[in-house]
Amino acid sequence: MKKLWIAGIIAVAGVSTILLPRFLKDEPFAEEVPAPVVQVQKPQIGDIRLTTGLIGRVEPSDMVYLYPKISGDVTEVMVNAGDSVKQGEIICNIDTKQVETFKRSLESAELRLKQSQEDLSRYQPMYEMGYISQQEYERYRDNVSSAQIQYSQAKYDYETQISYSRIAAPIDGKVEICNMEPYDSISPNALLCVISGTEGQIVSFSATERIRDFLRMGDVIQVEKAGKEYEGTIYEIGSMTDDNTGLYRIKAHLETKTALPSGSEVKLYVTTEHTENAVTIPLDAVYYENNGTWVYTLEDGTVHKREIRLGVSDSTRTEVLSGLTMSDSLITTWSSELYEGAKVLTEQEDSQ
């Protein structure tokens, strides 16, 4: 019995040794949760432009397509594709089969005019001396007038045939296409060559009605080609859609000293929406909740929730139409711990 009593004392002592320190140990206090650290900034005044990318085509500002006036055979070609030409320079000669015919008609008319003028000169003194009647004298005068008319017509016909047979460049420019060879037989519907003017280049592109409604004469567009950037100025906005595409045709003068390849495609950007001198904030600072738009501001270390109304936005900033002033401190750091009345620290306060 005495042994059992001693064993019980030993067991109680062992349990006490384990549990007693736990009961005697002080309970720790809960650690204080630190206030969230945020970034703040003031709204800024700035411009926002929303651009849309399109594909355009480079074209000369002036393009001339040359066709023969009549049928004939090409006897000589003076240019090749890529050549520069001056206005009035002969491009090719064409045998129209009628130049010689009209030349002979001109020579005959010239001979008749000369003969009638000599007759009038010879009979005029006789008329003045009274040797011939006035009626006969008038007949010689009428012959001169008739011969003069015939000569003028024959000269016009001959010069017209010459212009038909000698195709000249109507403008200064560059031969883009040369579609003829010596001994070719051609007709009025055969394209001889294409000449582009030297007055600059344009970019033509197509746009939907929505984009067209944002564009104005004189708007500046950005053009990209082979990694280089250029500017263009819109000078023509189509009022009718293309029957095939349903799009509007737009043209812009291309501002470049280095000519781009005619007919090549370029990437261009047009401004479809813009605002100037607007109150702007970072787009990342905006929250969307319950069909509303909100931001958080900081005043004396306390968060305030503000409903705002937005305007034009780009990829980084947005226009604020109402709900903020330029003196507000806008919280730009996203945090799930932001709510009306929350206490936060700025990065500057946290570092101190």
Side-chain angles (χ1 to χ4, degrees):
M1 184 68 180
K2 185 177 181 180
K3 292 182 178 179
L4 293 175
W5 182 76
I6 294 174
I9 293 175
I10 294 173
V12 171
V15 172
S16 299
T17 303
I18 297 173
L19 297 179
L20 188 60
R22 296 189 179 183
F23 287 108
L24 297 178
K25 185 178 181 181
D26 294 335
E27 283 293 333
F29 292 100
E31 294 184 4
E32 183 178 356
V33 178
V37 179
V38 298
Q39 296 178 344
V40 296
Q41 67 173 240
K42 303 289 186 182
Q44 299 177 357
I45 297 296
D47 302 340
I48 295 179
R49 294 183 178 273
L50 186 62
T51 60
T52 299
L54 299 170
I55 298 298
R57 184 177 298 275
V58 178
E59 300 174 0
S61 58
D62 191 9
M63 185 81 79
V64 176
Y65 298 82
L66 291 181
Y67 292 88
K69 299 293 185 180
I70 57 177
S71 300
D73 296 329
V74 177
T75 59
E76 191 175 10
V77 178
M78 286 77 166
V79 297
N80 294 304
D83 290 349
S84 296
V85 294
K86 294 292 185 180
Q87 183 178 3
E89 182 178 342
I90 301 300
I91 300 297
C92 67
N93 287 324
I94 301 174
D95 182 6
T96 65
K97 311 298 184 184
Q98 299 190 44
V99 172
E100 290 300 323
T101 300
F102 282 96
K103 182 179 181 181
R104 288 193 295 270
S105 297
L106 175 61
E107 292 172 348
S108 298
E110 185 178 15
L111 183 60
R112 286 194 297 271
L113 176 60
K114 183 178 179 181
Q115 184 63 50
S116 62
Q117 289 173 339
E118 290 177 352
D119 290 344
L120 180 61
S121 298
R122 185 168 61 252
Y123 286 102
Q124 184 172 358
M126 298 178 65
Y127 166 71
E128 292 173 352
M129 296 173 61
Y131 292 125
I132 61 174
S133 65
Q134 182 175 355
Q135 182 179 5
E136 188 175 1
Y137 175 70
E138 291 294 336
R139 181 166 59 83
Y140 288 114
R141 290 185 59 184
D142 291 343
N143 289 340
V144 172
S145 297
S146 178
Q148 181 65 56
I149 293 174
Q150 293 176 2
Y151 172 76
S152 298
Q153 183 63 45
K155 183 179 180 182
Y156 172 79
D157 292 341
Y158 173 71
E159 291 176 349
T160 300
Q161 288 298 318
I162 289 295
S163 67
Y164 290 168
S165 64
R166 297 177 183 174
I167 307 299
I171 59 172
D172 293 351
K174 177 183 177 181
V175 178
E176 300 288 350
I177 298 175
C178 184
N179 196 28
M180 54 185 171
E181 296 287 344
Y183 311 115
D184 284 349
S185 294
I186 58 174
S187 59
N189 61 353
L191 177 64
L192 298 180
C193 67
V194 178
I195 301 176
S196 60
T198 58
E199 297 301 319
Q201 293 180 304
I202 66 170
V203 175
S204 63
F205 58 96
S206 298
T208 62
E209 183 175 2
R210 184 189 70 83
I211 294 177
R212 173 190 175 276
D213 290 342
F214 284 108
L215 302 180
R216 298 291 182 271
M217 296 291 193
D219 283 356
V220 176
I221 65 173
Q222 304 301 317
V223 180
E224 291 183 1
K225 176 67 175 177
K228 296 182 179 180
E229 297 183 355
Y230 309 90
E231 284 190 351
T233 304
I234 294 177
Y235 72 93
E236 182 179 309
I237 300 176
S239 59
M240 295 182 61
T241 59
D242 184 90
D243 292 337
N244 297 323
T245 64
L247 302 176
Y248 293 88
R249 193 73 166 174
I250 317 294
K251 294 183 179 180
H253 287 296
L254 186 60
E255 308 297 334
T256 173
K257 295 181 180 179
T258 304
L260 300 179
S262 296
S264 61
E265 290 188 344
V266 294
K267 182 75 172 180
L268 60 92
Y269 300 90
V270 297
T271 300
T272 50
E273 291 185 75
H274 73 278
T275 182
E276 297 179 353
N277 298 320
V279 178
T280 68
I281 62 174
L283 196 59
D284 292 340
V286 180
Y287 294 77
Y288 302 91
E289 181 182 341
N290 298 328
N291 296 323
T293 309
W294 308 81
V295 293
Y296 291 99
T297 60
L298 183 63
E299 183 177 353
D300 298 330
T302 302
V303 175
H304 297 284
K305 187 177 181 180
R306 297 279 191 88
E307 186 173 10
I308 61 173
R309 187 163 62 93
L310 301 182
V312 178
S313 301
D314 60 17
S315 60
T316 59
R317 301 191 69 80
T318 183
E319 176 188 17
V320 178
L321 300 177
S322 63
L324 277 182
T325 66
M326 296 299 297
S327 61
D328 288 329
S329 295
L330 177 70
I331 298 177
T332 60
T333 304
W334 186 92
S335 174
S336 60
E337 301 178 23
L338 295 179
Y339 54 89
E340 176 67 32
K343 298 297 184 179
V344 297
L345 294 175
T346 65
E347 287 187 340
Q348 182 179 6
E349 292 171 338
D350 182 60
S351 64
Q352 293 174 352

